[in-house]
């Protein structure tokens, strides 16, 4: 689809998204409410929504609530049609108390947020390899959670299991324990607690094995996709397929939407926040942003602090200067965020090699 030129006054759109319907509204260049209408969440409904907005004038931009959830497909359709899409946060509680809550109110609020400049976020495009990595990682994460739950249940059952069964698997490592339990033969009489416990443990062990296989298959699928999406990211010290996949998912298929490395640092929750008072001048850890991306950066920093000589020398130097381990970790996370940003957004010939850790402080 291509963009079209429409005569008439400039207008701004806003959409309040839901599972089955989207409510759209349009306002003019000075914020007057022109019209609002509800559309179904289908391809035809998205196109009708765009045509309806363009009837009222020249469409400048559309603010969409929830571009990462209910509004994801609408954002893709609008972007493909050449429309500027802006990601809009839902109104805060104070505004909701003052102006009320309804679909038209929220749709007009989204349009007003774009027109006033309060909302400027560019949504993730969600149309490339990174989106494929993201959805596969969701499945992998749930499989790991289920495997951990199965292991915890196995250990919980063994605590109260009959002694003859506990002694059979005592002191076994996890892999050997799972193999042994998966081969148990409980017998036909499950009315006996020993037989029922064996049956339960065998089922949990086989579930654990099945989840192991599923995770291995997912790793084999995700690894090449991560390498395809950002080979330079995997070249950074301490960055593996798991942390790279999370950083890619946080940045999206269009990392250029982040205007600077500072914007990426805020996204990942590693931008230093002033925490000065009186004669005390310091910064603290940023507790906002994408916590999963923050965790990925934290993992990279821990690996570097243990195995990277340059990072270990930096930690020693900053410790002598009086910084706490938390402050040093904050500095290192900010530095790693800088490296990651350049790996994601810069062409290979333009990448800057950072040789001094001091600017990260």
């Amino acid at each position: 689809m291509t963009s079209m030129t429409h005569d008439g006054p400039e207008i701004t759109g806003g959409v309040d998204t839901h599972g089955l319907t989207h409510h759209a509204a349009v306002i003019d260049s000075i914020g007057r409410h022109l019209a609002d209408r509800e559309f179904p969440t289908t391809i035809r409904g998205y196109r009708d929504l765009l045509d309806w907005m363009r009837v009222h004038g020249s469409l400048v931009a559309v603010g969409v609530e929830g571009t990462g959830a209910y509004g994801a497909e609408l954002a893709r359709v609008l972007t493909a049609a050449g429309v500027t899409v802006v990601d809009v946060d839902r109104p805060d509680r104070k505004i909701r108390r003052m102006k009320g809550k309804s679909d038209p109110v929220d749709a007009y609020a989204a349009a007003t947020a774009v027109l006033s400049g309060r909302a400027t976020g560019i949504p993730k495009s969600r149309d490339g390899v990174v989106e494929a990595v993201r959805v596969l990682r969701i499945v992998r994460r749930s499989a790991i959670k289920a495997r951990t739950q199965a292991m915890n249940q196995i250990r919980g059952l063994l605590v109260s299991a009959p002694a003859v069964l506990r002694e059979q698997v005592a002191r076994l490592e996890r892999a050997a324990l799972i193999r042994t339990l998966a081969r148990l033969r409980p017998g036909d009489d499950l009315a006996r607690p020993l037989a029922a416990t064996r049956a339960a443990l065998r089922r949990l062990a086989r579930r654990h094995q099945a989840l192991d296989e599923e995770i291995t298959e997912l790793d084999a699928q995700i690894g090449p996709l991560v390498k395809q999406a950002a080979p330079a990211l995997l070249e950074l010290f301490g960055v593996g397929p798991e942390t790279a996949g999370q950083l890619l998912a946080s940045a999206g298929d269009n990392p250029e939407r982040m205007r600077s490395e500072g914007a990426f640092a805020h996204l990942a929750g590693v931008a230093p926040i002033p925490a000065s008072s009186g004669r005390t001048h310091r910064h603290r850890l940023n507790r906002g942003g994408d916590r999963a991306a923050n965790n990925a950066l934290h993992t990279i920093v821990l690996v570097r602090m243990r195995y990277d000589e340059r990072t270990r020398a930096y930690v020693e130097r900053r410790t002598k200067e009086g910084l706490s381990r938390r402050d040093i970790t904050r500095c290192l996370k900010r530095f790693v965020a800088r490296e990651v940003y350049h790996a994601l957004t810069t062409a290979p010939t333009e990448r800057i090699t950072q040789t001094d850790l001091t600017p990260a402080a």
Side-chain angles (χ1 to χ4, degrees):
M1 300 177 66
T2 58
S3 61
M4 298 175 61
T5 301
H6 295 265
D7 297 329
E10 290 187 349
I11 61 169
T12 303
V15 183
D16 181 32
T17 60
H18 299 279
L20 299 178
T21 61
H22 291 339
H23 202 98
V26 289
I27 61 177
D28 62 14
S29 58
I30 59 175
R32 290 180 299 190
H33 295 188
L34 300 180
D36 65 272
R37 184 176 167 185
E38 191 173 76
F39 296 88
T41 55
T42 61
I43 293 296
R44 179 62 181 273
Y46 300 144
R47 293 172 180 169
D48 289 345
L49 183 152
L50 177 58
D51 292 340
W52 174 80
M53 283 187 173
R54 283 175 165 167
V55 167
H56 295 84
S58 179
L59 188 59
V60 176
V62 177
V64 180
E65 281 192 19
T67 56
Y70 292 135
E73 182 61 20
L74 174 62
R76 282 190 284 260
V77 171
L78 294 176
T79 301
V83 177
T84 300
V85 179
V86 179
D87 188 18
V88 178
D89 294 331
R90 67 178 184 176
D92 59 32
R93 294 182 178 179
K94 181 179 179 180
I95 295 177
R96 286 180 183 270
R97 286 195 299 267
M98 293 171 58
K99 297 187 176 181
K101 169 72 174 77
S102 70
D103 293 347
V105 168
D106 288 347
Y108 280 119
T112 303
V114 175
L115 180 63
S116 65
R118 182 175 61 83
T120 59
I122 302 173
K124 297 178 183 178
S125 60
R126 300 182 182 274
D127 58 358
V129 178
V130 174
E131 179 65 6
V133 171
R134 186 187 72 85
V135 296
L136 290 175
R137 290 189 75 258
I138 291 175
V139 181
R140 183 183 184 277
R141 186 164 58 248
S142 66
I144 290 177
K145 184 176 180 180
R147 184 181 65 178
T148 301
Q149 185 181 44
M151 193 67 222
N152 291 339
Q153 290 174 338
I154 287 172
R155 297 194 183 282
L157 284 174
L158 286 175
V159 168
S160 59
V164 63
L165 181 56
R166 290 204 315 273
E167 293 173 2
Q168 183 180 348
V169 297
R171 299 185 181 85
L172 290 180
E173 296 294 334
R174 188 180 72 169
L177 174 65
I178 295 300
R179 288 195 300 269
T180 301
L181 295 179
R183 294 194 298 264
L184 288 177
R185 296 189 178 185
D188 298 328
D189 186 11
L190 296 183
R192 296 184 298 114
L194 177 59
T197 303
R198 284 175 173 169
L201 290 171
R202 184 176 69 170
R203 287 184 181 275
L204 288 171
R206 292 182 176 180
R207 181 187 301 173
H208 191 285
Q209 289 177 332
L211 290 168
D212 261 339
E213 294 177 2
E214 182 179 341
I215 293 168
T216 301
E217 291 176 0
L218 286 167
D219 286 339
Q221 294 171 344
I222 294 172
L225 294 177
V226 172
K227 188 173 183 179
Q228 176 185 344
L233 188 58
L234 292 172
E235 294 174 1
L236 299 179
F237 193 99
V239 179
E242 174 62 18
T243 51
Q246 178 55 60
L247 293 170
L248 281 170
S250 298
D253 281 292
N254 50 337
E256 65 278 0
R257 68 194 177 90
M258 296 174 290
R259 300 177 179 86
S260 65
E261 65 178 50
F264 178 73
H266 276 284
L267 172 68
V270 296
I273 302 297
S276 302
S277 177
R279 288 181 290 180
T280 301
H281 300 281
R282 60 180 297 272
H283 290 76
R284 67 167 176 81
L285 291 170
N286 184 356
R287 300 179 182 87
D290 187 329
R291 304 317 297 169
N294 188 284
N295 180 262
L297 293 177
H298 189 79
T299 301
I300 296 170
V301 167
L302 291 181
V303 172
R304 291 188 177 190
M305 290 174 73
R306 184 167 185 176
Y307 298 106
D308 183 24
E309 291 299 329
R310 183 182 57 159
T311 303
R312 293 171 67 178
Y314 174 80
V315 172
E316 183 178 355
R317 174 168 63 85
R318 298 294 277 175
T319 300
K320 291 179 179 178
E321 293 175 0
L323 266 68
S324 66
R325 185 178 179 86
R326 169 176 279 193
D327 286 337
I328 295 172
T329 302
R330 186 263 302 167
C331 295
L332 288 170
K333 286 164 76 172
R334 178 64 180 87
F335 169 74
V336 173
R338 178 179 298 139
E339 284 190 333
V340 170
Y341 174 79
H342 285 295
L344 290 174
T345 60
T346 311
T349 57
E350 299 174 350
R351 289 196 183 98
I352 300 173
T353 302
Q354 186 78 23
T355 57
D356 185 15
L357 284 169
T358 303

